[in-house]
Amino acid sequence: GQNIDQPTEMTATEGAIVQINCTYQTSGFNGLFWYQQHAGEAPTFLSYNVLDGLEEKGRFSSFLSRSKGYSYLLLKELQMKDSASYLCAVTDSNYQLIWGAGTKLIIKP
Amino acid sequence: ETGVTQTPRHLVMGMTNKKSLKCEQHLGHNAMYWYKQSAKKPLELMFVYNFKEQTENNSVPSRFSPECPNSSHLFLHLHTLQPEDSALYLCASSPRTSGGGANVLTFGAGSRLTVL
């Protein structure tokens, strides 16, 4: 079967750095997405990786290793507003999106 | 309005009621989706529409009935639901349903459904 694994919950301190990991086993690979979802709000797109390496967007970076079936989302200079759930999703060979259960990130002052 | 709008935001219904969820997108997208989101579970894809035509029904019980009158509007009609159907129902749209490149989904804020 197809599966996406990510930690259920993480805690970090304001101003620090946190890395949220995502591992996947899917039938083929056509890209990996990260979405952010604040409580009670819509998930919003953060990043897309299809080639190996690091993509940087301001305080957020996303890394992909296709050979290892692994990605991470790196958040720097954490702010209280970064408290949210972070969803990892992979597009398989049929362009179906396979979702992880999400990682709830709690930021403490 | 811009983006994806869902109404109502909250809905409480009995198991014998009939209600509908509405979704509207103003992004010019051709694909629309219904997802079910339950606590600590991955998003479950329910239905996909491409250019108003249903292209996927992910083994959803018939008590959920989708309707897509045009590319901008999507409904989910609910009838004789069960308490386990209580969840957040998310609507999303995207430029297309498949193909290479980043087919980014834009989500609505969801309709929180409680079945008593």
Side-chain angles (χ1 to χ4, degrees):
Chain A
Q2 308 202 86
N3 193 50
I4 309 281
D5 286 313
Q6 47 181 136
T8 303
E9 187 174 300
M10 298 181 70
T11 303
T13 305
E14 190 177 15
I17 299 173
V18 71
Q19 177 175 311
I20 303 174
N21 296 325
C22 171
T23 58
Y24 60 90
Q25 301 90 38
T26 56
S27 302
F29 177 85
N30 277 303
L32 184 144
F33 294 84
W34 284 97
Y35 284 80
Q36 179 191 58
Q37 185 178 22
H38 287 101
E41 298 183 15
T44 55
F45 170 74
L46 283 179
S47 67
Y48 173 74
N49 295 69
V50 67
L51 299 176
D52 290 350
L54 188 68
E55 297 275 346
E56 297 186 71
K57 271 189 189 179
R59 294 187 301 113
F60 290 12
S61 303
S62 57
F63 171 83
L64 175 68
S65 169
R66 288 172 296 171
S67 63
K68 295 182 179 178
Y70 168 69
S71 172
Y72 67 72
L73 182 68
L74 191 71
L75 291 72
K76 302 177 184 176
E77 300 168 20
L78 286 170
Q79 302 176 9
M80 297 304 292
K81 67 178 182 180
D82 298 328
S83 291
S85 287
Y86 292 86
L87 312 179
C88 175
V90 170
T91 308
D92 70 10
S93 57
N94 293 319
Y95 297 98
Q96 302 295 312
L97 258 183
I98 312 302
W99 293 86
T103 299
K104 182 179 180 180
L105 178 63
I106 300 168
I107 309 298
K108 295 187 174 180
Chain B
E1 287 198 48
T2 59
V4 179
T5 304
Q6 289 188 243
T7 55
R9 291 294 310 276
H10 299 275
L11 179 63
V12 179
M13 59 186 289
M15 288 191 286
T16 58
N17 291 158
K18 284 186 182 180
K19 298 286 184 184
S20 296
L21 307 181
K22 179 183 176 182
C23 177
E24 189 173 354
Q25 59 100 358
H26 303 274
L27 300 167
H29 288 167
N30 296 315
M32 296 189 77
Y33 310 76
W34 279 116
Y35 277 94
K36 177 182 179 182
Q37 187 175 37
S38 303
K40 299 185 179 180
K41 289 186 177 180
L43 289 179
E44 294 177 48
L45 179 64
M46 300 175 72
F47 301 104
V48 182
Y49 278 82
N50 192 32
F51 291 99
K52 304 190 306 178
E53 300 299 320
Q54 187 179 120
T55 58
E56 185 150 353
N57 176 337
N58 212 20
S59 302
V60 180
S62 60
R63 57 185 184 269
F64 294 92
S65 174
E67 179 190 359
C68 189
N70 54 60
S71 293
S72 298
H73 294 85
L74 187 63
F75 295 88
L76 188 62
H77 303 299
L78 315 171
H79 178 48
T80 60
L81 294 191
Q82 305 298 310
E84 59 265 29
D85 296 323
S86 298
L88 182 67
Y89 289 85
L90 290 167
C91 174
S93 70
S94 68
R96 58 189 186 283
T97 56
S98 63
N103 188 32
V104 176
L105 296 181
T106 302
F107 286 89
S111 294
R112 172 70 61 185
L113 174 66
T114 302
V115 182
L116 301 176

